[in-house]
Amino acid sequence: MIRRACAAVIFCLLAIAFTAPAAAGPFEDAVAQFANDSFSDTEAAISAVAASGNARALPIVQALQDGRLVADPATKKVYIKENDGKVSDAVTGQAVAPSFANLGNVRLNNRLRRSVEAAIGGLTLLSADPARRLQAAQSVFRSRDAAALATIEGALEKETDASVRRAFTQARAAILLAAPDAPEASRIEAIAAIRDRGDQDALALLTGVAADPSPRVAQTAQAAISSVQSRLAMWSAAQNAWYGISLGSVLLLAAIGLAITFGVMGVINMAHGEMVMLGAYTTFVVQEVIRSSYPGLFDYSLLIALPLAFLVAGLIGVAIERGIIRFLYGRPLETLLATWGISLILQQAVRTAFGPTNREVGNPSWMSGAFELGQITITYNRLWIVVFTLAVFALLLLMLRYTSLGLEMRAVTQNRRMAASMGIATSRVDALTFGLGSGIAGIAGVALSQIDNVSPNLGQSYIIDSFMVVVFGGVGNLWGTLVGAFTLGIANKFLEPVAGAVLGKIAILVLIILFIQKRPRGLFALKGRAVEA
């Protein structure tokens, strides 16, 4: 009898379990609120889903942020549209095939977007990935969501990564400063943490706290503001210095070929900028061929364009020297007029071949993007141009010191008549020097195509600055060209915020004129009997 009674009870329990409808839990009810098409219900759903601790909470909130959360108002079912076009149930994550006729996107406004960002920050604070925890802490810092305070404090106790721990501390401090009922001692401690952050976000947050009713908190915040402002001024100076180094590398790359030809041959080459332009257009042609025929080689396009640009510009430079310049030695004004006419011819030839409009030259993946160094933003294309410029400068120095052509160029630079009497073919040296200077201008065009518009007027933007660099540094002296380029670049970037771009350039020009009055041969004057004479 007892066994029969137990069996009957078990049978009834099983029947109830399989026949009774499954009751929806709090998480399911919260998700269903997304289908109400009400901003207030959506906000309540975000808070409830984020606080549930369910593993599906983060995918749901991320789908809402990305515009991939859809709902059926009739059935109160909520779905996630995947990136591959499939649809899954928001609660279970299982793939489904709903009727798309009744589905609509869950709408967001600006207030809800802030709530979503705060919810994502809170949900990823305990992620196993340090990068995601750091990103979550930054989100909480910006949103200052008081609901995340407990999670932040719990995560802070367990955190071992120094950078993430610092971000958690700053996020906690931001929440405390945004809460008017926080204890005074906690707010003062939070001010110290925000002061150590030292960026514009910290300054904005502290500025709001400076009007705090508590005199002690307000005084501490004001002292922190002064500290942050001093630090930002130092970082701003460092950023301007980097911009100046970047500009100086561009000026050096554009002027280094001119320094060679001007120093060895005494030719005022007004067509030097057009050699830069030809190098940039060579890069454009190389990339067009790669895009149409070999798209997989695009990241190598600049490496392919460098030798081609050197050859194109160098050969045209040799042709100009052999065809025109060699008949005008000793007549600097006539070489100036002749090379100016050549520059006009080259510009018009490029306009005829490629059109007058700017041409697109893309950045390879390894030259795209930027990174932060403290409060300084460094772009990869500018960084690579600095490295490339210094490499070209070093190779040119080695060539001048350790090759026969380099020794002959130095001899002709110092005393042309003595070099000729020693058996050096000065006409051959002149042709090769002009070709070398033009070739270096061509590879300068490859680099400049990554940061400037490729157009027929590209070279005109740099020819005047190149001459100023050469004259300021010392005609024919490569070290003078290096120092002159970086000096003018840094000075220009520090004057621009004060005087503006145009007045800054005018001020630089006036200073160079005054300097040349005192030192006509520039910073580093060449040595030699011919020069001394």
Side-chain angles (χ1 to χ4, degrees):
M1 292 293 294
I2 295 176
R3 289 180 179 178
R4 290 181 180 179
C6 289
V9 170
I10 292 172
F11 177 78
C12 291
L13 290 175
L14 290 173
I16 292 171
F18 282 105
T19 57
F27 177 72
E28 290 78 2
D29 292 339
V31 173
Q33 285 186 282
F34 285 117
N36 293 340
D37 196 25
S38 166
F39 288 141
S40 58
D41 285 348
T42 300
E43 184 174 21
I46 293 170
S47 301
V49 167
S52 68
N54 192 291
R56 295 291 305 163
L58 183 57
I60 291 173
V61 180
Q62 285 179 330
L64 178 62
Q65 185 183 47
D66 298 340
R68 297 182 293 107
L69 194 68
V70 295
D72 186 343
T75 62
K76 301 299 181 185
K77 287 287 187 178
V78 181
Y79 306 98
I80 295 176
K81 291 191 295 185
E82 307 296 344
N83 292 327
D84 57 3
K86 297 180 181 178
V87 178
S88 61
D89 187 281
V91 174
T92 65
Q94 295 178 350
V96 294
S99 173
F100 287 91
N102 299 325
L103 296 183
N105 283 78
V106 179
R107 298 181 301 142
L108 289 176
N109 57 20
N110 290 334
R111 180 166 56 87
L112 289 179
R113 289 187 182 91
R114 288 192 292 269
S115 299
V116 168
E117 184 177 354
I120 291 176
L123 288 168
T124 52
L125 285 171
L126 302 178
S127 171
D129 183 4
R132 296 195 69 181
R133 295 199 302 273
L134 182 63
Q135 183 181 5
Q138 297 291 357
S139 297
V140 173
F141 178 87
R142 290 190 294 269
S143 65
R144 299 161 203 165
D145 183 17
L149 181 60
T151 308
I152 282 279
E153 291 177 337
L156 193 56
E157 294 177 1
K158 304 174 185 178
E159 188 57 58
T160 57
D161 187 284
S163 60
V164 179
R165 184 176 181 81
R166 184 166 54 252
F168 280 163
T169 302
Q170 293 167 358
R172 176 180 178 273
I175 294 173
L176 291 174
L177 290 180
D181 56 344
E184 184 180 84
S186 298
R187 290 170 68 79
I188 291 176
E189 180 186 355
I191 289 173
I194 298 301
R195 180 198 61 208
D196 293 340
R197 182 182 176 99
D199 60 2
Q200 290 290 346
D201 291 334
L203 183 62
L205 184 56
L206 290 171
T207 302
V209 181
D212 195 89
S214 170
R216 189 180 171 197
V217 172
Q219 184 178 2
T220 306
Q222 195 61 50
I225 288 172
S226 300
S227 175
V228 171
Q229 287 175 336
S230 299
R231 188 180 305 179
L232 288 175
M234 292 177 58
W235 281 114
S236 177
Q239 182 75 73
N240 284 335
W242 164 249
Y243 287 151
I245 291 172
S246 174
L247 175 60
S249 67
V250 171
L251 294 179
L252 176 60
L253 202 57
I256 194 169
L258 187 63
I260 296 172
T261 56
F262 198 9
V264 175
M265 307 166 65
V267 173
I268 303 175
N269 181 18
M270 295 300 293
H272 183 77
E274 277 55 53
M275 301 298 111
V276 175
M277 179 260 293
L278 290 175
Y281 272 98
T282 302
T283 309
F284 165 72
V285 172
V286 168
Q287 287 197 352
E288 286 297 297
V289 172
I290 288 177
R291 282 192 181 103
S292 60
S293 303
Y294 311 99
L297 296 177
F298 187 81
D299 276 350
Y300 304 96
S301 59
L302 296 188
L303 301 179
I304 298 171
L306 280 174
L308 293 176
F310 182 86
L311 288 174
V312 169
L315 291 175
I316 291 177
V318 170
I320 292 173
E321 195 279 335
R322 290 288 84 187
I324 300 174
I325 302 297
R326 71 188 180 101
F327 300 109
L328 302 175
Y329 287 134
R331 293 180 282 179
L333 292 179
E334 293 184 23
T335 59
L336 185 150
L337 290 173
T339 53
W340 180 59
I342 293 170
S343 74
L344 296 178
I345 293 171
L346 290 175
Q347 286 183 47
Q348 189 57 47
V350 169
R351 284 193 183 92
T352 303
F354 298 99
T357 57
N358 296 339
R359 291 295 181 173
E360 178 187 359
V361 174
N363 292 98
S365 60
W366 47 276
M367 288 189 72
S368 302
F371 65 93
E372 301 286 334
L373 183 63
Q375 301 294 324
I376 302 176
T377 301
I378 298 177
T379 57
Y380 284 110
N381 58 355
R382 292 277 183 176
L383 179 61
W384 277 112
I385 288 175
V386 172
V387 173
F388 176 70
T389 301
L390 295 178
V392 170
F393 182 81
L395 288 174
L396 193 57
L397 284 179
L398 293 174
M399 189 275 291
L400 290 176
R401 183 172 293 273
Y402 296 109
T403 66
S404 59
L405 175 61
L407 294 175
E408 290 174 353
M409 286 173 57
R410 290 164 60 195
V412 173
T413 300
Q414 294 183 17
N415 195 318
R416 175 178 289 272
R417 294 174 64 186
M418 182 63 72
S421 67
M422 296 296 292
I424 295 175
T426 56
S427 61
R428 180 180 65 87
V429 172
D430 288 337
L432 293 178
T433 300
F434 204 89
L436 177 64
S438 299
I440 293 174
I443 62 176
V446 177
L448 293 178
S449 69
Q450 300 298 296
I451 59 174
D452 207 340
N453 295 323
V454 177
S455 70
N457 299 321
L458 172 64
Q460 297 300 307
S461 305
Y462 297 97
I463 185 64
I464 302 301
D465 290 334
S466 298
F467 272 109
M468 285 200 300
V469 167
V470 171
V471 173
F472 177 65
V475 175
N477 191 301
L478 291 185
W479 285 106
T481 305
L482 175 73
V483 174
F486 284 111
T487 300
L488 294 183
I490 293 173
N492 200 357
K493 287 303 178 182
F494 274 94
L495 282 174
E496 275 185 9
V498 178
V502 176
L503 288 178
K505 281 189 175 293
I506 294 174
I508 292 291
L509 180 60
V510 170
L511 291 174
I512 289 178
I513 292 172
L514 295 176
F515 177 81
I516 295 301
Q517 293 294 317
K518 300 292 292 183
R519 290 180 64 91
R521 296 179 184 170
L523 283 173
F524 299 91
L526 286 174
K527 306 291 184 181
R529 291 183 180 178
V531 176
E532 297 297 333

